[in-house]
Amino acid sequence: MPSRVLLIYTGGTIGMGRNPATGALEPLDFNYLIDRMPELAAIPVAVDVHQFPQPIDSSDMNPKLWAQLVHMIADSYDRYDGFVILHGTDTMAFTASALSFMLENLTKPVILTGSQLPIQQLRTDGRENLITSIEIAAAHDADGHPRVPEVCIYFSGKLLRGNRSTKINSEGFNAFDSFNCPHLADAGVNIVYHDDLILRPDYDRPMKPHYVMDTGVIVFTLFPGIEEDTVRHLLATPRLRAIVMRTYGSGNAPQQPWLMEALTEATARGITIINITQCAAGPVQMARYSGGFLLKNAGIISGYDGTVECAVAKLMHLLGHTTDSSFIRDHMIRPLCGEITPPPFQE
């Protein structure tokens, strides 16, 4: 029997068409677009399509919609060998990160993809992205196990771990990369899988879906000249439970007494603060310079080599399951599904 893949269309540029009267891009019926792609018939894969009732602009993606995606996958999990999610590029890395935690012990591929140009346009990148994503979602190894049992992003010839990915280009086809994690596969004439990098689940355990996310998280970026009133106002935000703090270089911050005092007070109240570098590549190492060491003394947790998108999603996931700040802090420094580099890198 051929592999069977469920294609979930949430929205995004890949499924847009140009209105001949106005020239504006607007959503099309994706079932119709699939019928217009004869290339799919050449793939030995049975593809079923599920389309969101109303296509979602990815800027409007949110945890409730993530939960809908998890329900779709969990409810049909036993009927498919893999899943492909068509998604707008702007928040694709957030969704991929969230799903990696919400689909615990994932044993099948969940591949997110999309395009920079609508699939009906002559120069579109959508056709290759879609076809290769389906091939990867359907692929099995010699033992009959799925080749890539992870949440991934496939874009422009690169298969990336979803919770390590970030959007790097708003115009070029090379829209995503994972600076601190090698590609899981590269697609050229052949698809070359880097099997030693791909996570292997426990096939004796079922996939466990999670649906609850707590949005009491803020992303806070340091910059020269940031004022005390601004920081203290942010730290007093109602329902605030966690902060992703974007610091300089290897995890450094201004060595201002008021800043360290405010951060120490916040962590003492149970607010979890994660240190993520503003740099595209490289890890946080808070013991390297005094600016980072002071943050460590203030109770700030290292985000190591993780992304902002992943830190936000992981915090929402953990906050949704417990009010124990010690548990959250412990699990934020522990890799749950390949999202940060494990020891011996950790400080």
Side-chain angles (χ1 to χ4, degrees):
M1 291 181 61
S3 296
R4 182 170 291 275
V5 169
L6 179 61
L7 178 63
I8 302 172
Y9 173 59
T10 68
T13 300
I14 193 168
M16 305 291 275
R18 195 169 297 280
N19 186 308
T22 66
L25 291 175
E26 57 187 31
L28 298 174
D29 183 343
F30 203 80
N31 288 287
Y32 171 76
L33 291 182
I34 292 296
D35 292 340
R36 294 284 298 273
M37 286 187 62
E39 303 97 317
L40 290 177
I43 307 174
V45 179
V47 179
D48 293 334
V49 178
H50 181 91
Q51 180 173 334
F52 270 37
Q54 293 294 326
I56 306 299
D57 185 308
S58 71
S59 296
D60 293 321
M61 190 56 66
N62 60 63
K64 289 183 179 180
L65 295 172
W66 292 339
Q68 287 185 33
L69 283 169
V70 172
H71 273 293
M72 291 176 193
I73 292 169
D75 292 348
S76 59
Y77 197 71
D78 294 336
R79 301 199 300 274
Y80 293 97
D81 297 279
F83 303 84
V84 173
I85 299 173
L86 297 175
H87 193 291
T89 59
D90 286 350
T91 58
M92 187 183 292
F94 284 98
T95 297
S97 294
L99 294 181
S100 72
F101 301 112
M102 298 172 82
L103 298 168
E104 182 182 344
N105 195 50
L106 182 66
T107 58
K108 298 179 180 182
V110 175
I111 313 298
L112 285 84
T113 194
S115 67
Q116 298 285 63
L117 286 174
I119 203 166
Q120 286 189 321
Q121 289 195 14
L122 184 62
R123 295 180 54 252
T124 183
D125 54 330
R127 289 176 181 269
E128 191 276 326
N129 286 346
L130 174 56
I131 290 169
T132 305
S133 294
I134 291 172
E135 286 193 64
I136 292 170
H140 290 77
D141 61 21
D143 296 325
H145 291 139
R147 196 69 186 265
V148 190
E150 292 196 36
V151 177
C152 298
I153 288 177
Y154 177 79
F155 230 88
S156 190
K158 298 180 295 190
L159 184 68
L160 313 174
R161 178 164 295 149
N163 57 34
R164 293 287 198 137
S165 304
T166 194
K167 187 176 180 181
I168 61 168
N169 196 321
S170 64
E171 184 171 290
F173 291 154
N174 186 29
F176 290 89
D177 212 337
S178 55
F179 293 106
N180 291 328
C181 182
H183 305 165
L184 302 185
D186 292 287
V189 175
N190 298 299
I191 301 176
V192 179
Y193 294 94
H194 308 302
D195 294 318
D196 57 320
L197 301 173
I198 298 170
L199 298 176
R200 296 299 166 194
D202 182 352
Y203 288 103
D204 293 327
R205 289 175 48 225
M207 188 276 290
K208 182 179 179 180
H210 298 277
Y211 304 103
V212 179
M213 303 287 270
D214 188 313
T215 57
V217 180
I218 284 177
V219 178
F220 163 38
T221 301
L222 293 175
F223 59 89
I226 191 167
E227 296 186 351
E228 180 176 357
D229 288 348
T230 301
V231 174
R232 291 193 180 277
H233 182 74
L234 180 145
L235 294 174
T237 301
R239 285 198 66 254
L240 178 64
R241 297 185 62 196
I243 297 172
V244 177
M245 186 168 67
R246 301 181 67 237
T247 57
Y248 307 131
S250 58
N252 304 310
Q255 299 177 55
Q256 298 287 340
W258 66 261
L259 178 59
M260 298 305 158
E261 177 185 305
L263 294 174
T264 301
E265 291 172 356
T267 57
R269 298 200 313 268
I271 295 176
T272 303
I273 306 179
I274 308 300
N275 186 347
I276 298 286
T277 176
Q278 296 177 32
C279 298
V284 164
Q285 301 178 70
M286 288 196 290
R288 189 173 183 181
Y289 296 104
S290 58
F293 190 77
L294 289 172
L295 290 177
K296 190 173 183 179
N297 285 345
I300 311 303
I301 303 170
S302 177
Y304 304 113
D305 57 348
T307 66
V308 169
E309 296 93 331
C310 182
V312 169
K314 187 175 181 180
L315 282 168
M316 287 184 179
H317 169 69
L318 293 173
L319 294 172
H321 287 77
T322 183
T323 58
D324 185 344
S325 60
S326 296
F327 178 91
I328 294 167
R329 291 170 64 88
D330 176 68
H331 281 68
M332 284 303 298
I333 61 173
R334 180 188 306 177
L336 303 183
C337 45
E339 72 279 9
I340 54 176
T341 303
F345 162 73
Q346 294 183 7
E347 297 172 320

